[in-house]
Amino acid sequence: MSNVTVVGVQWGDEGKGKIVDWLSERAEIVVRFQGGHNAGHTLVIGNQTFKLSLLPSGVVRPGKTSFIGNGVVVDPWALLDEIERVRKQGVAITPDTLRIAENVVLILPLHGEVDRLREEQRGDRKIGTTGRGIGPAYEDKVARRAIRLCDLADAETLDWKLDELLRHHDALRRGMGAAPIDRAELRAKLMDVAPKVLPFAEPVWMTLDQARRAGKRILFEGAQAAMLDIDHGTYPFVTSSNTVAGQAATGSGLGPQATGYVLGICKAYTTRVGSGPFPTELTDEVGQGLGDRGHEFGTVTGRRRRCGWFDAVMVRQALRVGGVRGIALTKLDVLDGMKEIKVCVAYRLRGATLHHFPANMTAQAAVEPVYETIEGWSESTRGARSWAELPGNAIKYIRRLEELVGVPIALLSTSPERNDTILVSDPFAD
């Protein structure tokens, strides 16, 4: 049996939460390996809807152990709020069910403040961050001045690190016209939260290694998606971490051989939140209709998502970069009732035809989609649980997407409900 790594292959919001939850029935361990509490996952289980931001999707399933790996940045106050929120929904989260890498970097209040200050000063050139401090926390990690979870257990180290951290941030804040950080207040907040979060801390890499050696099935869960990857996405309109499957190894502390089968999640159309290029974006009534039928609002921010046709060029590139072996296609039902559906099969740029998404920011904004038109279907696909229940034209659409991106469909999701899923091939058995 293989381990499985789940990653988004568009701009996020592809429905990873439901797919991870569905796959978690076959796994024993679920690991979140990058990102912060800027990434939302919505799970519909029976008559309850869980909206998770930082917690791995596996926490809502009894008998599963969830891990937050070292590649994640953790806001300890947001974490505790989320734990309390799901507790009120009947799910108790304890150190027995959730473990956090002792070397995760912490998101502090100052990170959110500088995040929002920068966005304000960018004016009409905003990147579109959530303002929750994820980017600034990763900056401090790379610059070797971050506070990590393990530091909360060592007051002497914490004091030294606070001095290093504030030396940078106070200078940065002065440049933006903001007041310096109240060091005593920040230290007091950290001392207060320490006993609440330290019980979850452990050397996660060691525990996961032991689990792998014992033959336990591990499910690695990514946040955001490939086109928001700091290296491979639409830079600078990206997140601040690597989102592709290779990060599952680094962000969990396990070697690349442990990440197993890579499953890419994508919608049957395309959405994006925030700023940045979007070649197939539809600003007309068709795009509005996709957004309305697909309930396209951000789980974390509530922002309306931009909508457009499926971009096979972009998805194919994400699949290659991410080493994806199979696709979980979601939200096919949103296309029900459309007479015709378009798919981007190439780009035009200054008279040339491109079959890849260029890296240059100006070129990304200038490419024009080349469309292929596919006949739609009038029947409903919502809730289908077998190929036999799908309209013929819907199957033709799926098969054409497979041809265009070069990777087979492994799973098909036909509604937010967990069991409305068609399994074509089991990633854990591959």
Side-chain angles (χ1 to χ4, degrees):
M1 295 290 255
S2 173
N3 296 333
V4 175
T5 298
V6 175
V7 292
V9 295
Q10 293 164 310
W11 277 297
D13 309 308
E14 300 97 345
K16 291 184 292 296
K18 174 197 166 170
I19 300 300
V20 169
D21 174 58
W22 192 86
L23 288 170
S24 67
E25 186 174 63
R26 294 160 174 78
E28 295 156 279
I29 290 170
V30 181
V31 183
R32 171 79 180 274
F33 61 82
Q34 52 78 217
H37 64 304
N38 55 339
H41 299 315
T42 300
L43 309 180
V44 179
I45 300 174
N47 60 357
Q48 279 197 310
T49 299
F50 295 90
K51 294 190 175 183
L52 307 179
S53 298
L54 185 59
L55 294 172
S57 299
V59 297
V60 299
R61 288 292 167 192
K64 313 297 178 184
T65 307
S66 294
F67 291 81
I68 294 177
N70 57 274
V72 179
V73 285
V74 174
D75 181 325
W77 299 278
L79 172 69
L80 294 173
D81 286 346
E82 194 169 329
I83 288 174
E84 177 61 17
R85 189 166 65 248
V86 299
R87 185 194 66 78
K88 290 179 179 178
Q89 293 185 268
V91 178
I93 296 176
T94 70
D96 291 328
T97 58
L98 174 67
R99 300 169 190 179
I100 305 174
E102 60 186 358
N103 53 335
V104 294
V105 164
L106 299 182
I107 301 174
L108 308 181
L110 59 85
H111 291 126
E113 291 170 13
V114 73
D115 207 356
R116 294 185 291 273
L117 281 169
R118 284 172 171 169
E119 281 288 83
E120 289 171 10
Q121 295 192 355
R122 288 185 180 111
D124 59 1
R125 294 189 175 185
K126 287 181 173 62
I127 290 175
T129 76
T130 60
R132 298 190 171 211
I134 282 79
Y138 274 116
E139 289 177 39
D140 285 339
K141 175 180 180 176
V142 173
R144 297 167 294 183
R145 56 175 173 258
I147 306 296
R148 303 196 296 178
L149 180 56
C150 55
D151 298 331
L152 300 185
D154 183 346
E156 184 177 345
T157 297
L158 180 62
D159 281 330
W160 177 82
K161 286 199 166 186
L162 279 173
D163 290 340
E164 289 293 306
L165 184 67
L166 298 190
R167 183 177 296 114
H168 168 79
H169 276 273
D170 283 344
L172 182 63
R173 292 168 70 90
R174 280 196 299 272
M176 294 190 288
I181 301 296
D182 186 327
R183 185 188 188 282
E185 180 184 6
L186 176 57
R187 188 183 190 281
K189 286 182 177 179
L190 290 170
M191 288 294 94
D192 176 68
V193 81
K196 301 172 186 176
V197 293
L198 281 172
F200 294 96
E202 69 171 44
V204 158
W205 69 268
M206 184 184 300
T207 308
L208 290 176
D209 180 65
Q210 292 168 351
R212 181 184 65 83
R213 291 174 184 275
K216 293 188 176 181
R217 293 187 295 278
I218 304 172
L219 182 58
F220 297 91
E221 175 186 12
Q224 289 97 24
M227 298 314 293
L228 292 174
D229 184 276
I230 188 68
D231 288 305
H232 300 288
T234 49
Y235 190 92
F237 303 99
V238 292
T239 195
S240 299
S241 61
N242 287 112
T243 61
V244 295
Q247 177 64 17
T250 304
S252 65
L254 288 178
Q257 75 280 359
T259 55
Y261 182 104
V262 180
L263 180 70
I265 318 297
C266 67
K267 288 176 180 172
Y269 52 101
T270 310
T271 64
R272 177 165 199 170
V273 170
S275 306
F278 187 168
T280 65
E281 183 174 12
L282 297 170
T283 56
D284 56 10
E285 66 277 3
V286 177
Q288 179 78 24
L290 288 173
D292 291 343
R293 292 193 301 277
H295 306 290
E296 296 296 353
F297 296 91
T299 301
V300 172
T301 63
R303 290 182 291 181
R304 188 176 183 91
R305 296 172 186 143
R306 302 153 63 190
C307 297
W309 297 120
F310 188 90
D311 189 336
V313 181
M314 183 184 74
V315 171
R316 183 172 60 242
Q317 185 164 322
L319 299 179
R320 300 295 186 274
V321 169
V324 175
R325 294 173 57 191
I327 292 172
L329 189 69
T330 66
K331 291 201 168 185
L332 181 69
D333 58 296
V334 175
L335 302 180
D336 291 352
M338 302 189 78
K339 291 184 178 179
E340 61 179 34
I341 302 165
K342 294 184 179 180
V343 178
C344 175
V345 296
Y347 300 131
R348 285 197 186 94
L349 178 63
R350 304 183 191 99
T353 299
L354 297 182
H355 294 281
H356 72 283
F357 203 28
N360 179 270
M361 182 173 68
T362 303
Q364 287 181 346
V367 295
E368 298 177 356
V370 176
Y371 286 121
E372 177 180 304
T373 301
I374 300 173
E375 186 179 355
W377 55 90
S378 58
E379 307 95 323
S380 174
T381 63
R382 188 174 179 84
R385 298 184 182 181
S386 70
W387 283 107
E389 298 176 58
L390 295 176
N393 281 352
I395 294 174
K396 288 179 182 178
Y397 179 71
I398 294 167
R399 294 307 187 202
R400 182 57 179 147
L401 296 188
E402 289 180 318
E403 292 173 356
L404 289 169
V405 302
V407 171
I409 302 295
L411 291 166
L412 181 66
S413 171
T414 58
S415 93
E417 292 290 337
R418 184 176 188 270
N419 291 326
D420 290 343
T421 304
I422 300 172
L423 177 64
V424 182
S425 61
D426 187 347
F428 278 113
D430 198 306

